[in-house]
Amino acid sequence: MNHALRTPAGPVPDGAPFWNPQRGGSMPSHRYRPAHQRVTVPDFDRSWPTARITEAPLWVPVDLRDGNQALAEPMDPARKRRMFDLLVAMGFKEIEVGYPSASQADFDFVRDLAEPGAVPGDVTIVVFTPAIPELIERTFASIEGVERAVVHLYTATAPVWREVVLGRDRDGVHRLVMDGAAHVARLAGDRPGVRFQFSPEVFNQTEPEYALRVCDDVTALWDASPDRPVVLNLPATVEIATPNLYADQIEFMHRHLARRDAVILSVHPHNDRGTGVACAELALLAGAQRVEGCLFGNGERTGNVDLVTLALNLHTQGVDPRLDLSDIDEIRRTVEHCNRLPVPDRHPYAGALVHTAFSGTHQDAIRKGMAHHAARAADLGVPAAEAPWDVPYLPIDPADLGRSYEAVIRVNSQSGKGGIAYLLQTEHGLDLPRRLQIEFAKAVQRETDGSGAEMTAKELGDLFRTEYLDRADTGPVQLTGWRTAHTGPERHDFTGTLRIDGREGEYSGSGNGPLSALTAALGAAGIRVDVLDYVEHATGPGQGAAAVAYVECRVNGVTRWGAGQDTSVLTASIRAVLSAVNR
């Protein structure tokens, strides 16, 4: 079916300001009820707007259950084990590993984890089950022999789910939950190491006072206590509202739960509105202590909340996330292999391009910021990796994530002189003077405008070599041999064999330095050269490093830069003058 776009052509709403001429459209927005008509949170004196997140919550990855259910091709045992090992290596201490009553594959994976030594001693696994007796029994069978496990019971409690999916009223769903919770308690008996979790699925669309009643009754039945706390997980199963409403719902529960000191308050946001991360952060402000989600946000529809983004958001606020994300590319590669889904190039923190600047203004700010950071670290007497981070356009130091600085600045037709100069300096050891940066940027612009493609650091270096360094040898004026001598106070003589437009001759000149003597020799050959600026530096540490010289010359009335490179500073300088002449 091919739908043509229909540009909004309705009236401009009454009272709209003159600067907003947007018109009424034809999309059927009237079919949808706003969130405040679907869920109403009782008034209370909320505190979350002024709270601060000062420590990491308990992170619980659900990649192996919720995330696995969302894959077109669920993980095989090898990929599941690789994902589990990654989660352990990153430092997760509670991991939801499966829905063992849903498939033989999930059941078998949990049984594999029951083998001695399969799960580290400080890691607890979580298994998921609906409130159906035979499925609860299958779930307990899967964890036989497991030292530490959380049995996660769930039932949908929202009106539409009650009426359409379960076909029960409020009391009927309440009985379903309590029967399931009682069966869990009977099967657990006095087994050590088994704790309980309950999720009123679609909590965010459930009447708050009803969700509170169900949760309080479950914690009472399970006899929740501070030394054996119950996890109450309050999911935004399908996002329907702005994150502030979810925060209100979480704080309402946080304030009113009957056994608050015996409850680990958990959240499980989804991302249907694209605000899963915001929902989780506001929920933490509102009293949540535990967050379920997936690495890079995999999950049904638009996914579960992204634990990597949440953790690194804390890191950038000076809060230890208590996870190791220092090799973000290896984490990304592993997740992509296990999920067979790519992490987008613009994904927060982990995408291939998130630390990359193409824009000239961004590149210039980053280049200056990096130089300032290095100088600040030196002033403080600490390594750059330990100095306070404050670089424009980079909210996090890429090195914290195991990324090099090579890809921070990349060049295309949108780039400016600052980014070009940064790449030449970091990748090729060439520290161009400012006016040369401007001149070379024009050559880069011509090249990228013509191809429409990005120019790599190698291609940038090749272009500089062709445009400047090689021009001492490729042009109408070539120096086939030369010698210079210091013949008196402030007097240097230069004699060289010049081939000009194919005609060769020997020319001499004198001056107060080798370059002025060279320009005098060129003048004798009919080429008037005035040196306007001169800069030279080594391209690296040590005595064997090559020297590079940059010379701005006025040649027969035309100003051009030249560059030369050699292990000899004098030779590099002479080549730079010839480069300018030939350009």
Side-chain angles (χ1 to χ4, degrees), residues 45-298:
D45 185 20
R46 63 180 62 82
S47 63
W48 65 261
T50 57
R52 297 288 182 271
I53 302 174
T54 58
E55 63 180 11
L58 175 62
W59 306 111
V60 181
V62 296
D63 298 80
L64 291 166
R65 193 274 298 177
D66 198 339
N68 193 44
Q69 292 172 220
L71 299 177
E73 183 184 335
M75 288 180 251
D76 57 30
R79 285 188 288 149
K80 278 193 174 189
R81 186 70 215 197
R82 183 169 174 182
M83 177 70 81
F84 181 80
D85 290 344
L86 171 68
L87 297 171
V88 170
M90 292 174 67
F92 290 103
K93 299 304 179 186
E94 194 167 300
I95 302 170
E96 190 170 82
V97 296
Y99 191 155
S101 65
S103 70
Q104 189 64 43
D106 265 24
F107 185 90
D108 291 344
F109 181 67
V110 177
R111 294 307 302 146
D112 287 343
L113 295 178
E115 292 295 323
V119 178
D122 60 349
V123 172
T124 300
I125 66 169
V126 183
V127 286
F128 188 75
T129 180
I132 300 173
E134 59 271 25
L135 301 186
I136 295 172
E137 292 162 10
R138 178 76 167 163
T139 301
F140 270 90
S142 75
I143 61 169
E144 188 66 38
V146 172
E147 291 186 17
R148 284 160 309 282
V150 173
V151 177
H152 180 180
L153 180 76
Y154 81 94
T155 297
T157 55
V160 173
W161 274 254
R162 293 195 306 257
E163 297 161 10
V164 175
V165 180
L166 300 175
R168 300 184 182 219
D169 60 12
R170 286 168 57 138
D171 289 340
V173 169
H174 181 271
R175 284 193 300 273
L176 177 65
V177 171
M178 298 308 294
D179 289 346
H183 200 45
V184 166
R186 281 194 298 272
L187 291 173
D190 57 358
R191 284 178 51 175
V194 175
R195 293 190 290 112
F196 305 143
Q197 173 175 341
F198 172 64
S199 289
E201 192 183 3
V202 210
F203 159 80
N204 62 318
Q205 296 182 48
T206 301
E207 307 91 331
E209 73 283 355
Y210 178 66
L212 182 64
R213 173 195 166 199
V214 173
C215 287
D216 279 345
D217 288 349
V218 167
T219 55
L221 188 152
W222 282 341
D223 194 22
S225 62
D227 60 344
R228 195 182 185 190
V230 164
V231 177
L232 288 180
N233 185 57
L234 307 178
T237 307
V238 180
E239 272 199 314
I240 64 163
T242 51
N244 60 296
L245 180 58
Y246 189 52
D248 283 349
Q249 293 171 314
I250 298 302
E251 186 163 353
F252 175 81
M253 298 292 285
H254 168 60
R255 295 279 196 92
H256 294 93
L257 284 168
R259 300 191 182 204
R260 184 63 188 89
D261 63 345
V263 167
I264 302 167
L265 193 58
S266 176
V267 293
H268 181 124
H270 276 254
N271 198 44
D272 299 87
R273 291 167 52 91
T275 57
V277 167
C279 278
E281 291 184 323
L282 267 60
L284 291 175
L285 297 175
Q289 302 157 292
R290 178 182 184 271
V291 178
E292 295 185 353
C294 286
L295 301 184
F296 308 121
N298 179 45

